[in-house]
Amino acid sequence: MLCPWSGDVEAVPVFVTGGTGFVGINLIRSLVSDGHQVRALVRPTSRRVGLDPEKVEFVHGDVTDADSIRRGMEGCDQVYHLAGWVQFTPWGAETARRVNVGGTENVCRAAMESGVRRLVHTSSIAAVGRGPTDAPATEDTPWNLGGLRAPYYRTKHEAEQVVQRYAGRGLDAVVVNPGYIVGPYDIKPTGGRLLIRIVTRRVPGYPARGGVGFVDVREVVEGMRLAMERGVRGERYVLVGENMTYRAYVRLVARVGGVEPPKWAASYWMLYPLAVGATVLGGVRPRAFADFNMTVLRTGFCEHYVSSAKARRSLGVKCWPIEKAVSDALNWFKQNGYVQRTSDGWRVPQRAN
């Protein structure tokens, strides 16, 4: 395997789920650049931005379709499982469980039956406990995020339990837990959605308290690949570049984007009645209230700080500066028409709304 930490390229294809998503695109581009054959499980309608069809084999399927996973995994000995349901809303619990938990069960079962050499499961710090800034959570901190009442958080936690169950049965599986991911090729966008809203002056304020561990998408890819090479079966590795308050992150993005940062520090109880109303209306029109609802409110005021010391010590993952992640993400969004910079500042083109 040709990469900064080993020697020879293997001819056996690497199987990737979620390859057309934010992290998946960055992972596949990294693997291909090192000469790997990659086989990606994709829906027929998935956009394949940044992926060369001459260098990536696309297999039509879905993680909820066990047969398509088995077909795609045939002949592969390394598996990266990234596919998942990612929404910060109180709605969609059934879909979240079907994709995040059921899909992970399908991938683990197929990997066990196929005899793959190793599976790297890309989870999230949503499956890791939270801690304050002076005592950040580690991989061993008990999960304590049930109070957020968020289907995404709960099902990511449950999906990890599936992986651990299969690891106990003999599957060589390793888990990585990225934080709030920032960087280029955020096609939906996901983490970049907030970044765009900040530079286009559509964020009126920030939570008076609360923060999270932020991470460059390239650090996540490096961590995943190092976990494939050096990780210990059944272990999990937190991947975070820097713990920051949302106030600090908003100010960083504003500085990189050359705009004035919002100055309003909103209290939880000031926003609570608005969030309740948004959540009720979101039950009818969920897309309209995806950016503000009770789940967003609870997570926004949550101090979710975590330590990546284990990944740095055991895997050798280096820290990528969050400021560069923000800068590269913003440049990618500008180059790909998500935002434009005019004499009046940043704006979202009509077609990107």
Side-chain angles (χ1 to χ4, degrees):
M1 184 174 185
L2 182 60
C3 53
W5 45 87
S6 62
D8 301 322
V9 173
E10 298 177 359
V12 178
V14 178
F15 184 66
V16 179
T17 73
T20 57
F22 178 20
V23 180
I25 294 169
N26 282 276
L27 171 65
I28 290 177
R29 288 174 62 84
S30 173
L31 290 168
V32 168
S33 71
D34 283 343
H36 285 277
Q37 297 180 34
V38 176
R39 185 182 300 159
L41 184 74
V42 300
R43 296 189 185 95
T45 56
S46 294
R47 297 171 60 201
R48 300 168 194 186
V49 178
L51 302 179
D52 187 343
E54 295 184 0
K55 297 181 179 179
V56 181
E57 179 186 356
F58 295 106
V59 178
H60 289 172
D62 189 281
V63 291
T64 61
D65 178 1
D67 289 338
S68 68
I69 296 171
R70 283 192 290 269
R71 289 195 306 270
M73 203 179 290
E74 185 176 356
C76 300
D77 72 347
Q78 294 184 1
V79 175
Y80 290 93
H81 175 42
L82 292 81
W85 182 93
V86 184
Q87 291 186 28
F88 293 91
T89 71
W91 320 293
E94 183 178 334
T95 302
R97 183 155 284 105
R98 180 168 54 85
V99 175
N100 291 347
V101 183
T104 298
E105 175 88 33
N106 289 338
V107 170
C108 287
R109 185 187 301 116
M112 191 96 170
E113 293 172 352
S114 301
V116 302
R117 178 157 58 86
R118 168 157 286 182
L119 164 71
V120 171
H121 171 66
T122 303
S123 182
S124 165
I125 60 167
V128 176
R130 65 185 176 92
T133 184
D134 58 346
T138 71
E139 291 82 356
D140 297 323
T141 301
W143 191 70
N144 54 8
L145 296 167
L148 297 177
R149 285 174 274 175
Y152 172 71
Y153 282 73
R154 181 163 295 281
T155 56
K156 293 302 283 187
H157 169 59
E158 293 173 358
E160 272 202 36
Q161 293 177 315
V162 170
V163 176
Q164 294 299 339
R165 188 170 71 247
Y166 275 89
R169 296 175 185 173
L171 177 64
D172 190 348
V174 180
V175 176
V176 295
N177 300 85
Y180 188 115
I181 306 173
V182 184
Y185 292 97
D186 190 359
I187 63 170
K188 283 190 175 179
T190 50
R193 187 171 176 83
L194 175 59
L195 187 154
I196 290 172
R197 291 178 63 84
I198 293 169
V199 299
T200 55
R201 310 297 297 278
R202 291 188 291 176
V203 174
Y206 51 85
R209 60 176 175 82
V212 72
F214 291 87
V215 63
D216 189 312
V217 68
R218 278 105 20 136
E219 181 173 332
V220 176
V221 168
E222 180 186 17
M224 292 165 62
R225 296 192 61 185
L226 284 166
M228 181 66 78
E229 293 301 312
R230 301 177 181 175
V232 176
R233 188 180 93 188
E235 293 290 315
R236 62 206 305 226
Y237 300 90
V238 168
L239 301 175
V240 160
E242 184 177 355
N243 288 308
M244 301 175 69
T245 64
Y246 288 112
R247 176 181 183 271
Y249 180 70
V250 165
R251 287 176 171 269
L252 170 63
V253 172
R255 177 165 56 80
V256 172
V259 300
E260 283 292 317
K263 296 180 172 59
W264 178 42
S267 74
Y268 181 90
W269 294 111
M270 183 185 301
L271 297 175
Y272 179 81
L274 297 175
V276 170
T279 300
V280 172
L281 294 173
V284 181
R285 297 183 58 200
R287 288 176 61 92
F289 296 93
D291 291 329
F292 185 67
N293 51 65
M294 282 303 300
T295 296
V296 171
L297 181 67
R298 293 189 190 104
T299 56
F301 281 82
C302 177
E303 291 186 319
H304 195 174
Y305 302 122
V306 292
S307 171
S308 57
K310 179 179 177 180
R312 305 212 188 286
R313 180 181 66 250
S314 301
L315 301 181
V317 180
K318 67 178 184 292
C319 181
W320 294 61
I322 299 304
E323 182 169 345
K324 178 168 175 54
V326 169
S327 177
D328 290 350
L330 188 55
N331 285 333
W332 188 86
F333 286 134
K334 181 171 65 174
Q335 292 165 7
N336 288 272
Y338 289 75
V339 289
Q340 293 177 345
R341 189 158 200 176
T342 68
S343 57
D344 297 324
W346 296 91
R347 67 182 184 87
V348 178
Q350 188 65 34
R351 66 180 182 85
N353 280 308

